Amino acid sequence: MPVRHRGADVRYAFEDYVLDPKRRELTRGVDAVPVSPQVFDLLLYLVQNREHVVSKDELLNVVWDGRIVSESTLTSHINAARKAVGDSGRSQRLIRTIARKGFRFVGDVKEGRPSVGVTTARAAGVRAAEYPPLAPALVDKPSLAVLPFLNLSGDPEQDYFIDGVVEDITSAMSRMRWLLVIARNSSFTYKGRAVDVKQVGRELGVRYVLEGGMRKADNRVRITGQLVDAATGAHIWADRSEGTLDDIFALQDQMATSVVGAIAPQIERAEIERAQRKPTESLDAYDFYLRGMASFHRGSRTAIDAALPLFHRAIQLDPDFASAYGMAAWCHFWRKINGWMTDRPRESAEGARLARRAVELGKDDAVALTRGGHALGHFGGDLSRSIALLDRALVLNPNLLAAWYLGGFQRIARGDHDDAIERLTHAMRLSPLDPEMIRIQTGMALANLFAGRFDAASSWAEKAFRELPTFLLVVGIIAASHALAGRIDEAQRAMRHFRQLDPELRISNLKDWFRLHRPEDLATLKDGLERAGLSA
């Protein structure tokens, strides 16, 4: 008999799958996944009862109505259910076997009516701005993901260089206001994996995928690329560019120009040419910058300590390299917010100096304006100018993830919490699989904390904490939000970890640690941390 379910039109979303009991349908993206009736019933029952381990007898009673079936029949149906959702007995990513107990569905499930995504979040009692959709929907304009290019040189030491070239192509493409470009870090989650472009299109919500390879030998480089329709898998365009390292920027420009021309040939040539801005004329400086970015993206204290001198080396070789100044300044900000500085006044002054130089040199450099402008607002205290600089960055590059989410943090500092949530949500849409998602989640947590939504604040902060438990601000938000919600045990537990990360931080020097411009917000943070046990 069919499995009884909780509501006639409740649907269950997990990863990029939707399980619809009313239609008795399993879909992945826009495609139906064929399953037998009993496999559907088994999967549905496991999803609906995911809070506990489901015994074999329980499954036999519900799915087979108590009829006697062999152990192998049950096993084959479990295997079929796993296969239907891209799982296996080896990985047990979604359906886990509990030895001598039974089975449990362990995926993250969202329930909702009548659709998934934003409606799912609303049905669960969460604002759309606080709980983004599981899988992004296609937008009504061209959208592109640039996948990591294959390293065809056979030399793993060239990975950082090839990754940097792809990042520059992504940046060039993203300057087209009519084109939504998925941020580099989400696209790079596919690095080293055999991918199905249709799956990439569904997971990232894009119409087109650019993939390719690069071979670097001595002083020569060859770049190959192909543009694929993510819905059909059809090849739209393919090309090859090659030349000497002295022409690397011209090769990148040629690739970007060709892709843009393939997607929208009616776009005027002037639009394409605006995307062809070189970050620096010094290839040696650019090489060090790329090495610094490769370390920076890892985000740990050791990685940031390695990235900072690489950015400084790039600046030494090219004193007008605005992006390198901006990234160096932001490394100092990241060290400060995590309590890693050994000489806070000196290092803060250095961060401010680098930030000022970045925005002076980078009037048309979105990265320099974003990183330098945000760091300047933190170290220099001029929030209005900082916001104006990041707004300018978004004019130059409307798809720059960092400009959106750091702009959200600036709005938090100013007290515009709902505006901040909108910007942070947009950043999630630009890069739904981004390794920097912890920073965006932290922003969501902070905005909700100051808006008085303490449950939402702790929920977002704990998501970030699971990925980076050494992020001091995240731990502070967890402690404060639990305390303000009356959950003192949880707050004190978080505070013990907070003190381990930074034993020197006190209520008295809180405003020197994290800059807030509204006295009410600083008072909220102080109140929460004091209730959690932070010393005066």
Side-chain angles (χ1 to χ4, degrees):
M1 68 177 179
V3 173
R4 293 183 297 274
H5 48 275
R6 297 171 183 170
D9 58 351
V10 174
R11 296 202 284 184
Y12 304 90
F14 51 92
E15 295 189 345
D16 54 349
Y17 294 91
V18 176
L19 195 61
D20 189 333
K22 185 175 182 179
R23 296 185 178 183
R24 294 187 59 75
E25 183 178 70
L26 174 67
T27 55
R28 183 180 188 187
V30 297
D31 299 325
V33 179
V35 291
S36 70
Q38 287 177 325
V39 170
F40 182 91
D41 288 346
L42 185 150
L43 180 60
L44 178 59
Y45 191 79
L46 288 174
V47 168
Q48 289 179 331
N49 294 275
R50 58 192 178 277
E51 296 86 0
H52 66 270
V53 177
V54 176
S55 68
K56 293 180 181 180
D57 289 342
E58 194 175 344
L59 284 175
L60 293 174
N61 184 54
V62 173
V63 178
W64 281 272
D65 199 18
R67 296 194 304 273
I68 298 175
V69 298
S70 67
E71 183 87 9
S72 62
T73 298
L74 177 58
T75 300
S76 67
H77 280 71
I78 289 288
N79 290 338
R82 281 177 170 144
K83 183 177 180 181
V85 295
D87 200 1
S88 67
R90 172 175 292 184
S91 67
Q92 298 191 18
R93 186 183 78 259
L94 295 174
I95 300 175
R96 186 166 298 166
T97 300
I98 310 299
R100 296 181 296 280
K101 298 290 186 181
F103 307 94
R104 183 168 175 239
F105 190 91
V106 295
D108 183 16
V109 179
K110 300 176 180 63
E111 300 182 14
R113 326 175 166 81
S115 61
V116 298
V118 172
T119 308
T120 299
R122 289 175 180 158
V126 182
R127 293 180 52 207
E130 297 169 356
Y131 212 156
L134 183 64
L138 282 173
V139 293
D140 58 353
K141 67 177 181 178
S143 47
L144 173 72
V146 184
L147 295 185
F149 280 20
L150 295 176
N151 180 356
L152 304 176
S153 302
D155 179 7
E157 291 295 319
Q158 298 304 324
D159 274 356
Y160 80 93
F161 188 89
I162 296 171
D163 291 349
V165 170
V166 175
E167 188 166 354
D168 275 4
I169 292 173
T170 302
S171 178
M173 298 298 301
S174 69
R175 294 191 184 102
M176 301 296 140
R177 296 189 65 87
W178 52 270
L179 180 65
L180 178 83
V181 180
I182 294 296
R184 175 256 191 212
N185 286 343
S186 276
S187 297
F188 268 59
T189 61
Y190 298 94
K191 184 175 181 178
R193 295 164 48 187
V195 297
D196 175 353
V197 292
K198 293 182 180 180
Q199 179 181 347
V200 172
R202 287 192 299 267
E203 291 179 349
L204 297 180
V206 294
R207 297 183 193 177
Y208 304 102
V209 172
L210 177 66
E211 54 186 7
M214 179 172 167
R215 187 184 303 276
K216 177 183 174 186
D218 296 326
N219 196 43
R220 294 197 62 81
V221 177
R222 173 181 293 175
I223 302 173
T224 59
Q226 56 186 8
L227 186 68
V228 182
D229 185 322
T232 65
H235 288 80
I236 298 173
W237 161 93
D239 200 4
R240 180 179 70 185
S241 303
E242 58 183 326
T244 66
L245 282 177
D246 297 333
D247 300 323
I248 185 64
F249 302 122
L251 295 179
Q252 293 169 218
D253 291 345
Q254 181 181 337
M255 180 70 68
T257 299
S258 299
V259 175
V260 174
I263 296 176
Q266 72 274 22
I267 298 297
E268 296 180 0
R269 196 70 180 175
E271 285 294 320
I272 299 174
E273 291 174 355
R274 274 202 292 271
Q276 300 171 342
R277 293 194 179 98
K278 301 174 184 179
T280 174
E281 298 295 333
S282 168
L283 185 62
D284 290 336
Y286 186 50
D287 190 85
F288 279 104
Y289 176 80
L290 293 181
R291 291 178 186 269
M293 291 303 298
S295 291
F296 168 80
H297 284 304
R298 292 197 293 272
S300 67
R301 181 172 188 170
T302 302
I304 297 300
D305 286 347
L308 192 52
L310 291 168
F311 292 133
H312 278 293
R313 182 64 176 138
I315 291 167
Q316 289 173 0
L317 291 169
D318 183 354
D320 295 328
F321 196 167
S323 292
Y325 283 100
M327 291 309 306
W330 213 80
C331 284
H332 282 289
F333 164 77
W334 190 243
R335 284 175 52 78
K336 182 174 183 286
I337 205 67
N338 281 289
W340 296 340
M341 285 184 168
T342 55
D343 185 344
R344 182 174 291 180
R346 182 187 62 79
E347 292 185 58
S348 295
E350 175 63 4
R353 183 191 71 81
L354 291 164
R356 284 193 296 270
R357 191 61 178 149
V359 300
E360 288 168 2
L361 293 170
K363 292 180 174 59
D364 294 315
D365 185 328
V367 173
L369 292 176
T370 296
R371 300 291 182 174
H374 178 263
L376 193 60
H378 188 82
F379 291 124
D382 189 345
L383 183 61
S384 296
R385 185 189 180 204
S386 178
I387 289 175
L389 290 168
L390 266 80
D391 287 347
R392 167 65 177 163
L394 284 175
V395 171
L396 294 170
N397 185 346
N399 288 310
L400 184 60
L401 170 86
W404 282 102
Y405 92 77
L406 291 177
F409 270 99
Q410 290 172 321
R411 268 66 181 185
I412 292 170
R414 192 170 66 181
D416 297 334
H417 308 132
D418 289 337
D419 185 7
I421 287 174
E422 289 181 10
R423 289 174 179 272
L424 292 159
T425 302
H426 187 79
M428 290 181 183
R429 174 62 186 87
L430 284 176
S431 191
L433 303 178
D434 204 295
E436 282 200 277
M437 187 61 69
I438 55 169
R439 291 167 182 154
I440 303 173
Q441 291 166 338
T442 303
M444 295 292 275
L446 199 59
N448 279 290
L449 175 70
F450 295 145
R453 297 186 284 263
F454 304 132
D455 289 346
S458 59
S459 176
W460 279 111
E462 284 164 358
K463 290 176 189 290
F465 178 81
R466 286 194 288 270
E467 298 299 322
L468 189 61
T470 59
F471 192 173
L472 185 63
L473 180 59
V474 164
V475 181
I477 296 170
I478 293 173
S481 56
H482 279 313
L484 292 169
R487 297 184 288 269
I488 300 302
D489 289 344
E490 291 92 333
Q492 290 176 343
R493 187 181 308 115
M495 181 50 63
R496 286 193 290 272
H497 187 47
F498 187 85
R499 290 198 195 97
Q500 289 175 353
L501 294 176
D502 191 342
E504 303 300 321
L505 199 56
R506 299 286 188 272
I507 295 295
S508 58
N509 59 13
L510 205 60
K511 63 180 181 180
D512 298 327
W513 167 57
F514 189 74
R515 189 175 294 276
L516 293 166
H517 289 251
R518 277 208 336 163
E520 307 95 293
D521 292 338
L522 181 59
T524 296
L525 185 60
K526 283 184 175 180
D527 186 24
L529 292 176
E530 193 167 24
R531 292 191 197 187
L534 186 62
S535 302

